[in-house]
Amino acid sequence: MKLNNPYQGVNQLSHEAKVQDFSGTKILLWNSVLAQQLGLSEDEHTKAQLATGQAHPQAYALAYAGHQFGNYVPLLGDGRAHLLGAVTDEQGQSWDIQLKGSGATQFSRGGDGLCGIGPAVREFIMSEALAGLNIPTTRCLSVALSGDTVMRQKPSAGAIVSRVASSHIRVGSYQFLAAQQDTQALQQLVDLTIARHYPELAALTGDEQLVAFFNAVMDKQIDLVVNWMRVGFIHGVMNTDNTLVSGETIDYGPCAMMNQFDFNRAFSSIDRHGRYAYGNQPQIASWNLARFAETLIDLFSLEQDDVVELLTEQLNLFGEKFNAKLKAMWMSKLGLLASDASADELVNELLIAMQEQQLDFTNTFVELTGYCQRRKDSLVEIQAPLVEWLVKWQAVVDNHLEQSARLMSSANPLVIPRNHQVEAVIEDFEQQGYSDKLAPLLSALRNPYQLDEAHRYLQQPPVSNDEDYQTFCGT
């Protein structure tokens, strides 16, 4: 099948790169649901081409820069990824198909460009989980074995991830072009981003369009992080090169889910100071947006000082916008309405109590939702630590139980990808190349707001409460 390079019209951004020839590729996981959504043929030749890139006539590596843990790196780029091109679905939406772990490129900086089976399986599970949770995300079309052995902390079977995204335009993509002072390429990238993600802005021009564009990207980032916090997702490496301007989640290497509620919860082995902890994600999103704003300055017709003042004014709206969305999120999780006078008090008291008592984040809200649905088994686990708070909350939601139940049922998943369950599947794949735990886990995660009785075991938190759990970058 023929795929087009959507970035060929942007100077310096895409570079020809050849997918490594692997000796014994084999498709391990294939996402038929996603393939059908994209209108892809599932004949064996097409599947092999999209899953491994073998015999693909042309591929590309994308250039980008980025702030990694606050430190600017002027050139990063796809060091182990190859863009095969883009396809257009029946609705006219364009989708990038990119391979990861497909060999070295000119941006590899001495790395081997490969990926182990563990990180590949993690990305497949976690991206499907976030899609099921209704959170914008890149998706995995497939995981294939490369036939090679990859050396990381220990030898591992090599794997290739086929990733689908509405684009791979990062804040780091803008940073790379801005550092080159290539305003022509920057404007080309703005035009491409608007065409692919913000077509409603196409009728605007000049400075007006740029301001609207920045605000649209900011709104997407706010929605994304609020959604992460809604389900207890901790990204783990919110660098600017991992921030897509589309507002989709990308890079699942060090991500994790929060079990016991704690604003300071972090799991990444390289995030030693908790920069990307659960409760810090809003501030980091704002910081990343400031870096994005810096890349747009030279595109404005105004004097630089005036542009900085204008963009600073827009960025200063982040806190107000984010807090409004965050408040609405917590209220929906608690079934509270705008007319409930004690909403703020109930939210704040619950979060403080959950942190002090180290209550399970997901299951606490599952039980509260169950109360509004009049489930007899609800509130068993949280009755004792929250007894005083429950009396006040029940007095409020009892006035509108049906409305509360509807709000909470859509905001509170019954099941999440628990870290220990994901790790159990990964361990199976690393040891034996398959896992009989994967199918029931994926089935539940793809429909997490309803739960079959057979999958109820997936609601159980780990015995250790993830006290020593760590995640690692997938390189």
Side-chain angles (χ1 to χ4, degrees):
M1 76 182 293
K2 186 176 181 180
L3 303 172
N4 67 293
N5 174 11
Y7 306 104
Q8 62 184 359
V10 181
N11 299 338
Q12 304 188 67
L13 208 59
S14 66
H15 303 262
E16 293 187 0
K18 190 177 185 303
V19 175
Q20 182 172 324
D21 291 324
F22 294 103
S23 58
T25 57
K26 175 185 176 183
I27 296 178
L28 190 64
L29 301 172
W30 177 261
N31 193 335
S32 291
V33 174
L34 180 57
Q36 291 170 13
Q37 290 176 1
L38 299 179
L40 298 175
S41 169
E42 295 195 72
D43 64 84
E44 292 306 311
H45 175 73
T46 301
K47 288 170 68 173
Q49 189 182 55
L50 296 178
T52 69
Q54 302 304 292
H56 197 275
Q58 186 60 63
Y60 307 89
L62 299 178
Y64 50 86
H67 278 86
Q68 299 190 317
F69 287 85
N71 299 307
Y72 181 65
V73 182
L75 180 60
L76 293 166
D78 290 333
R80 57 174 184 144
H82 293 79
L83 177 75
L84 299 183
V87 296
T88 303
D89 64 20
E90 294 180 355
Q91 288 71 44
Q93 171 72 46
S94 180
W95 300 95
D96 287 3
I97 299 181
Q98 183 192 63
L99 301 183
K100 190 165 70 172
S102 43
T105 73
Q106 67 183 82
F107 303 116
S108 295
R109 296 180 294 172
D112 59 17
L114 305 178
C115 175
I117 190 173
V121 171
R122 172 187 291 276
E123 182 157 343
F124 194 97
I125 296 172
M126 294 302 297
S127 60
E128 284 303 283
L130 261 67
L133 290 163
N134 301 322
I135 298 175
T137 180
T138 56
R139 302 276 296 277
C140 273
L141 179 62
S142 63
V143 172
L145 294 174
S146 67
D148 291 358
T149 299
V150 176
M151 298 300 298
R152 294 295 185 263
Q153 287 91 352
K154 58 183 178 180
S156 172
I160 305 167
V161 174
S162 181
R163 180 167 63 196
V164 173
S166 63
S167 85
H168 283 85
I169 304 172
R170 310 161 187 259
V171 169
S173 308
Y174 280 84
Q175 290 181 292
F176 171 73
L177 295 176
Q180 311 306 311
Q181 297 183 317
D182 191 336
T183 54
Q184 180 185 12
L186 270 173
Q187 187 60 58
Q188 291 169 341
L189 187 57
V190 169
D191 294 341
L192 176 62
T193 306
I194 288 175
R196 291 192 73 167
H197 301 299
Y198 305 100
E200 68 277 8
L201 304 182
L204 302 177
T205 58
D207 294 355
E208 183 184 13
Q209 185 186 63
L210 289 169
V211 171
F213 174 50
F214 174 78
N215 278 288
V217 173
M218 178 163 62
D219 290 343
K220 289 282 190 181
Q221 296 302 317
I222 288 173
D223 288 343
L224 180 63
V225 175
V226 168
N227 262 307
W228 286 352
M229 298 184 75
R230 174 175 63 85
V231 300
F233 177 79
I234 303 169
H235 185 275
V237 61
M238 288 176 65
N239 298 330
T240 56
D241 54 291
N242 293 329
T243 302
L244 294 179
V245 296
S246 63
E248 291 179 335
T249 311
I250 191 171
D251 194 333
Y252 285 93
C255 73
M257 301 299 296
M258 181 169 63
N259 289 304
Q260 292 176 308
F261 183 76
D262 187 348
F263 279 110
N264 299 316
R265 188 74 68 196
F267 293 104
S268 173
S269 62
I270 58 175
D271 191 7
R272 297 182 180 88
H273 303 292
R275 175 182 173 88
Y276 300 138
Y278 172 80
N280 287 344
Q281 292 177 130
Q283 294 94 313
I284 295 300
S286 177
W287 193 90
N288 289 345
L289 284 164
R291 308 289 77 74
F292 176 58
E294 291 167 352
T295 70
L296 302 177
I297 291 174
D298 289 344
L299 297 180
F300 281 80
S301 62
L302 299 171
E303 293 295 323
Q304 187 176 92
D305 289 347
D306 294 331
V307 177
V308 171
E309 182 178 355
L310 175 61
L311 288 174
T312 300
E313 289 175 357
Q314 305 307 309
L315 187 62
N316 286 342
L317 297 174
F318 178 92
E320 181 181 343
K321 288 183 174 183
F322 191 94
N323 288 335
K325 290 286 183 70
L326 190 68
K327 177 181 176 179
M329 180 270 284
W330 288 123
M331 287 179 64
S332 66
K333 286 182 74 67
L334 286 174
L336 300 173
L337 308 182
S339 57
D340 294 330
S342 58
D344 288 348
E345 179 184 342
L346 286 169
V347 169
N348 292 334
E349 288 184 1
L350 176 64
L351 296 180
I352 292 171
M354 287 180 66
Q355 174 129 358
E356 290 177 347
Q357 300 290 335
Q358 293 284 281
L359 297 184
D360 186 87
F361 180 64
T362 301
N363 288 349
T364 296
F365 287 101
V366 167
E367 291 197 47
L368 294 172
T369 305
Y371 173 81
C372 290
Q373 295 169 334
R374 292 299 190 190
R375 280 214 332 248
K376 292 181 180 179
D377 62 343
S378 65
L379 306 182
V380 174
E381 294 294 330
I382 62 174
Q383 185 75 50
L386 296 178
V387 62
E388 292 183 8
W389 179 88
L390 280 169
V391 171
K392 291 190 286 187
W393 174 74
Q394 288 168 319
V396 174
V397 296
D398 281 350
N399 295 319
H400 41 69
L401 274 177
E402 289 187 7
Q403 289 174 281
S404 294
R406 285 194 297 270
L407 279 172
M408 298 174 76
S409 296
S410 61
N412 298 322
L414 298 173
V415 63
I416 59 168
R418 299 274 184 178
N419 303 322
H420 67 294
Q421 293 158 354
V422 174
E423 291 296 337
V425 172
I426 290 173
E427 184 176 358
D428 283 352
F429 272 95
E430 288 180 333
Q431 292 184 354
Q432 59 196 30
Y434 70 92
S435 176
D436 56 9
K437 303 180 185 73
L438 178 61
L441 180 60
L442 280 179
S443 177
L445 294 178
R446 283 170 168 158
N447 193 20
Y449 299 98
Q450 298 178 11
L451 191 64
D452 293 338
E453 193 62 35
H455 295 150
R456 194 162 294 280
Y457 70 96
L458 294 172
Q459 292 183 302
Q460 294 299 316
V463 175
S464 67
N465 289 316
D466 283 340
E467 290 175 4
D468 300 317
Y469 182 63
Q470 282 192 320
T471 54
F472 302 88
C473 287
T475 53

